[in-house]
Amino acid sequence: MTESPVYYTTAYEIRIVKTLCVFIAANGIILLSFTLNRLQAAGLGMIHGYIMGMILSYHVFGITCKKRNRRIIIALGCGMLGFLAALDWRFETGLVLLCSLLTVAAALWCLHRDKGKVDGDYAAFLEDDFDLHLV
């Protein structure tokens, strides 16, 4: 059994940027408008962990990430950010906002550097994210 190559696509990168922009706006509103108890904060931290885990699994393993690896990263993110949010949810939300902003900046820089086409992306927006010619 051979390992599949790490494969990134332009369409997925742009979806991550759009998702994180909405994520940043929603968390900014939550941070400024609400006061959460520990259970609500832990739930919010688990949601943050899920979203950041999905993005991290893509950045580490690419579009061909095995489900087991993705689930492990998501579980670790949910556990760590849920625990951190239960301790101090404003710090956790601020940390997630900072990580999100840095991820958006890195993704936009990579798209700019690669002139809007990520390495391994042969289909651009004409097909799905996964190019079957590489398999």
Side-chain angles (χ1 to χ4, degrees):
M1 176 183 256
T2 60
E3 289 288 322
S4 59
V6 177
Y7 179 73
Y8 304 100
T9 65
T10 303
Y12 205 93
E13 290 282 332
I14 291 174
R15 271 200 301 273
I16 283 177
V17 169
K18 289 178 182 178
T19 300
L20 284 177
C21 287
V22 171
F23 183 69
I24 290 166
N27 280 303
I29 291 169
I30 289 171
L31 190 61
L32 296 173
S33 302
F34 297 102
T35 301
L36 304 176
N37 63 33
R38 287 194 189 271
L39 185 61
Q40 292 169 332
L44 182 66
M46 291 180 74
I47 292 169
H48 289 163
Y50 179 81
I51 293 170
M52 297 307 285
M54 288 294 287
I55 292 169
L56 182 64
S57 69
Y58 168 73
H59 285 296
V60 172
F61 295 108
I63 199 78
T64 58
C65 180
K66 293 181 180 177
K67 286 184 181 180
R68 182 178 70 90
N69 294 342
R70 185 179 305 121
R71 288 180 182 146
I72 289 170
I73 290 175
I74 289 171
L76 287 172
C78 287
M80 289 188 310
L81 290 178
F83 179 73
L84 185 60
L87 293 177
D88 185 0
W89 73 274
R90 290 192 183 275
F91 173 76
E92 183 270 339
T93 304
L95 179 67
V96 168
L97 285 173
L98 176 66
C99 292
S100 299
L101 287 170
L102 292 174
T103 303
V104 167
L108 290 175
W109 180 77
C110 289
L111 286 171
H112 174 72
R113 181 195 63 199
D114 297 335
K115 295 178 181 38
K117 196 163 180 103
V118 178
D119 290 343
D121 182 21
Y122 300 107
F125 293 102
L126 303 176
E127 298 176 19
D128 292 333
D129 288 332
F130 189 73
D131 188 357
L132 296 175
H133 300 292
L134 294 177
V135 179

